[in-house]
Amino acid sequence: MLLFSTSNSCCLHLKASVPNAVLFLVLLFILPLVACPLWGQVVQKRNLTPSDYKLWSEMHLEKVSPNEQYISYRLTQSYTDNIDTLFVRDSYQDKTYLIPNGKNSVFTQNNIFVCLNSSGLNILNPKTGKHQIIKDAITYEYSKIKDYLLILNHSPELKDKLIIQAPEGNVLKVIADVYKFSLSPDQENLICCVSKNNEYSILHINLKSIDKEHWLSFHGKDSYENFTWQKQGKSVAFISKADQKIAGSLFYYNLETKKIFNLNHSVFPNALKEALIPADSNLKLTISNDLKRVLFSVKYKNTSIKNEPDYLVEIWNGNDKWVYTDELMNGQFSESNKIAVWAPLSQKVYALTTAELPKIILSADQRYALLSNPKQYEPQFEMDGPRDYYLVDLQTMEKKLLLKKQSAHYTHVVPSPQGNYIAYFKDNNWWVYDITQKTHCNLTGSIGVKFTAKEQLLEPQSVCGNPGWSMNDKKILLYDQYDIWSLSPDGSSSERLTRGRESKIIYRIAAVPEIRSLQTIYDGLKISNYNLDKELILRGEGEEGKTGYFIWKNNISLESIVYKNAYIDELSYAGKKKNMFYREQNFDYSPAIMVNKNKLQEDLIYQSNPQQKKFFWGTSELIRYQNSKGTALKGVLLYPANYDPKVKYPMIVSIYELQHRYLHRYTIPSQYNETGFNATVATLNGYFVLLPDIIHEFQNPGISALDCVTAATKKVIDKGIINSEKVGLIGHSFGGYETAFIASNTNLFQTAIASGGIMDLTSFFLTLGQSSGKPDMYRFQEEQWVMGGTPFDLPSQYQKNSPLSYIEKLDIPLLLWTGKQDEQVDPHQSMEYYLAMRRLGKKNIMLRYANEGHAILGQEAQIDLTNRIQDWFAYYLKDNQSVFWIKNGTM
């Protein structure tokens, strides 16, 4: 751990034991922060070169202390051994601590910072600078309610032990021979698996009285693990597992009654007589809120999922529900694990999921389950077909049909957080089923507002979402294109909580710090309750590029925390919410940690990559244009570093779909690029870069892409700042398809690079997705290509929008690249196009990267591809004819 200060000092004191990698990090990122009058005030800027890229790092804000004085953030530096370093900073005194490779961090209630790294458990008092390391610590938990650290310590010479101590060192209890442990959700109770004399037992300790030990009354040769707590921590379930056994035994312990129950296989119903409890990661345990039921996984004896096709022959039946590979990868429901229900008090077990109804969505109180079969309406040709949903009462095990031919998208059927309702999206409206009243209600049919919008890339319309409910499930919260709505589940009232439609600001409930925004239980989505009588933290995104956060107060006011022409994210705060920390960035402004104090004052806490000030850098501009049909569109124009308005520069147009949201995104310069193209590097090399928006028309994806891209390019040409005879085009994946199509249908571009793209829509329609096992034809109906039919129904539309159809018109040099192991887009698509170009004598080169997929992940291959793309554009847009591999392959 290092301590340094940025206040009035040129000195940095380092411990002699600091590793070389950390010294390197300090020299790169710390010394530039230290104020030293001897260095002078004038910075002579210079051009950035690839040898300088190692100076850059990515930064993420992580935690805020309860007193809102200290923060932690992480810097990741990929050029030197993937250095990943955690920093703790005093936002009042400019005092910063550095912990190499710190992970799993927490601030205690008294603002002590704790994290793990290879040295052990680091415990830091950022106020005094006291730092201790508990060596051999392998994991830990923190109980906020008692302010205890629970540290599992492993020593090669001694058996594991669990240490219970105060954060600053007062050891309160040591439990020997602990194999595993688990802290309850309310942080009051501890369960340990203790191994002694080759026997395992379970110890329960209430942390309010840690001297009292309650040993469960069984010992055995099997270890205990997979501890799963009831929501409030009132009970816990777990299994016993022998080293060589594939089956385990299930236990349930009620902490209030101190009773333990063991599931006896003799009570299994006939449907489960051949079933075993899996003693592996496939075990899924859930305890109901009322403590009456435990849901668990079972698998059947002598069955296994087939991971390999039959040796002699694969049989692809024309009438199969799913094609052979889809069944192999996603089906085999007869052999897959099932979910069963155990009632410990009555010692009854019920089969829940079956081969006929294998998928399950659980209500939040675990009282009801929704069962369905993905194959029900197969064969069909969307990614996921509709299905019927059956509601099962887990107390009575009564089952009834609830929804018929309902969309199976995970956001379209969502139980309420308290288990009272099931919300579902059907026929372009949100509905709610009242489980108690057994009634369905259309909530949005009479409001006159669409609750779908352009939300996802390459999808024309999708559901805006159901982020949660108000407290006690009184109101459901829904999103439309701009706003947040509150509606009564019986349809009696609806209220728009924000006014985003008028101001063209998209409002969404902001992620809560340290809580995952997307949570699931089995096959369903888990959402939260929000107290509408208090405040909500919202994120806003405007049409002009502004972003930020707001505080909404009971429909009375909407106060801005921060909202500006920058990309603002990673909002973090403590309970008082007086100091609100967030990350701010722009294309030419490296991500910085900012703080808004009492909603009055904004201060800079730390800015990453301070060395950027020594180099020339580009800027970004939002441009507006119209396609041939008068549709208003936006794009981002990136200016070259050290821009001189007297010079006409070459330009690279990088395409995909909607890209105006990248206006304020900062991209670190790097040779490690998954697609080989780095917009920042391009601007540093003297190019304009254009990122235009593309709106795809129904049945005309290629033609509409051509229209939008040419309109955007001409808009920039009309500004008189680029050399119109030196414009290149590049795109990957769907952008690779668009690039190949556009390159043959306009004379605006002097060269193009198309990668991982689709060149013939008909052949791709009849391709099998290697990563999904599904036919790729689902991409053509209502998403991505949006053809609305098959090549058999619409042969001319498929032909008119296929790059291969226009290859004879291709008059510019084209570079193709693909990963030979691409499972997203069949590499044969690039091969088809290459062979066609070769047959027609077109100037082209194809790069095929061995052992790489849709994106290039190997660093050696990333550097090679990045350099070759730079070479290609330099050759054709800057007349650099010295690149031998291009001259050799095209002349």
Side-chain angles (χ1 to χ4, degrees), residues 264-280:
N264 192 323
H265 192 273
S266 64
V267 302
F268 276 31
N270 289 333
L272 299 176
K273 284 299 184 184
E274 298 300 315
L276 302 171
I277 299 171
D280 54 30

Side-chain angles (χ1 to χ4, degrees), residues 417-433:
Q418 298 301 311
N420 300 309
Y421 304 96
I422 296 169
Y424 59 97
F425 192 83
K426 190 177 182 70
D427 299 329
N428 292 316
N429 282 291
W430 276 104
W431 297 67
V432 162
Y433 176 73

